[in-house]
Amino acid sequence: MALIVKKFGGSSVATPEKIFNIVDRVLREKKEDDKVVIVVSAMGDTTDDLVALAKEVTSKPYGREMDRLLSTGEQVTIALMAMAFNERGHKAMSLTGDQAGITSTDTFNKGRILGVDPNRVFEALDEGNIVVVAGFQGITEYGDMVTLGRGGSDTTAVALAGAMKADVCEIFTDVEGVYSTDPRVAKEAFKLEEVTYGEMLEMARLGAGVMQPRAVEMGFRYGVPIHVRSTFSDNTGTIIREDYTVEANKHVITGVADDTNTAKVALVGVENKP
């Protein structure tokens, strides 16, 4: 028996057909006694559409009401996915970030997770449900919904896995795992079997987009292994953990990150004095 947290992003759940593909995959991979929690993002471009909608109403679409609006995107996804599981004959229950016990700072649009009380999630699992949790959101001490900023669903998944002492947190994305560098830039790039939290954190901060730094920090904080793998294949991806389990994985240089949104300005012929 294993306790597994799986996270699927917006492109993976963009349509009802894709939601059913995820449901079928989870049921195919699930062993009889496994307990599964799924964290999802809003469908496709829903968040962008909600931001555009807000801009039609106000010139400053930020703050409490904006987070109230944006949090509805994930709520649509969790309800549809729970319905899809039930349609396939397996019990499922959807929970918002609040119901899943995720508390956050009151910094709207970029909240940080303060703690997770997963009792409601455990109760639903014990009743035989697959639990579908809304990513990207938490609740303040005053009961206000707060979104967690870019990569918030990844952070939700890893924090929830850590608080529940899950065996693994699987982050599904559109690539096979973590590569030595961007395979779209360098054809020689190869997939890493394993990488440490520290290495992944450095790569993420320097521009590697496959994982968000805050999610990696949560993994390190709780010591939960993070398995980065592809939504579109059954292949093993990359395991992010505290240390290597395979000696051959210890490279002198683990990876090279790039950031095409950074410009460098050099000033020449300037005297070296104030």
Side-chain angles (χ1 to χ4, degrees):
M1 183 184 77
L3 173 57
I4 305 169
V5 176
K6 299 172 181 278
K7 179 265 174 179
F8 294 94
S11 60
S12 299
V13 294
T15 65
E17 180 183 5
K18 289 185 176 182
I19 288 175
F20 270 115
N21 288 340
I22 297 302
V23 167
D24 292 337
R25 174 177 186 151
V26 170
L27 294 178
R28 183 178 71 249
E29 294 180 346
K30 181 181 180 298
K31 296 178 181 178
E32 184 177 356
D33 294 330
D34 285 351
K35 293 185 176 181
V36 178
V37 178
I38 300 174
V39 175
V40 292
S41 301
M43 298 172 66
D45 297 325
T46 298
T47 301
D48 291 337
D49 293 341
L50 291 172
V51 171
L53 189 63
K55 288 182 178 178
E56 293 184 20
V57 176
T58 175
S59 60
K60 297 180 180 180
Y62 303 102
R64 181 183 184 277
E65 302 309 326
M66 188 64 179
D67 275 6
R68 177 68 66 183
L69 174 65
L70 295 182
S71 66
T72 63
E74 282 70 24
Q75 292 179 45
V76 171
T77 313
I78 61 174
L80 290 175
M81 184 166 282
M83 292 176 189
F85 272 113
N86 282 288
E87 186 68 16
R88 288 290 195 253
H90 197 292
K91 289 178 62 179
M93 176 184 289
S94 65
L95 297 175
T96 64
D98 174 19
Q99 292 170 323
I102 299 170
T103 54
S104 166
T105 61
D106 59 1
T107 310
F108 294 108
N109 308 131
K110 50 183 178 181
R112 296 185 70 87
I113 293 176
L114 294 176
V116 182
D117 179 1
N119 285 334
R120 180 86 183 272
V121 183
F122 279 124
E123 289 174 4
L125 289 172
D126 291 340
E127 292 170 359
N129 290 288
I130 286 176
V131 182
V132 188
V133 176
F136 186 59
Q137 59 185 239
I139 199 80
T140 72
E141 61 177 323
Y142 301 108
D144 289 325
M145 192 74 73
V146 173
T147 60
L148 305 178
R150 186 166 179 255
S153 292
D154 286 3
T155 308
T156 300
V158 179
L160 192 57
M164 298 182 72
K165 293 181 171 55
D167 294 285
V168 66
C169 178
E170 297 181 337
I171 304 292
F172 288 86
T173 181
D174 56 357
V175 294
E176 291 277 345
V178 179
Y179 282 76
S180 56
T181 191
D182 190 340
R184 296 169 298 183
V185 177
K187 294 181 180 180
E188 302 84 358
F190 58 90
K191 185 177 69 177
L192 303 170
E193 293 182 29
E194 297 179 315
V195 64
T196 67
Y197 296 121
E199 290 168 338
M200 189 68 247
L201 190 57
E202 283 299 310
M203 292 169 67
R205 284 175 172 165
L206 292 172
V210 68
M211 281 293 295
Q212 291 299 315
R214 285 190 298 164
V216 182
E217 288 172 357
M218 280 290 178
F220 176 73
R221 172 181 172 184
Y222 287 107
V224 59
I226 304 171
H227 186 184
V228 181
R229 54 190 307 202
S230 172
T231 304
F232 310 106
S233 80
D234 295 332
N235 297 335
T236 301
T238 302
I239 302 292
I240 306 171
R241 50 166 50 106
E242 186 172 356
D243 202 358
Y244 291 110
T245 60
V246 181
E247 186 71 22
N249 280 355
K250 294 185 177 180
H251 308 288
V252 175
I253 298 175
T254 300
V256 177
D258 70 296
D259 184 355
T260 57
N261 294 316
T262 299
K264 180 178 181 179
V265 178
L267 302 179
V268 296
V270 179
E271 292 186 34
N272 186 21
K273 65 179 183 179

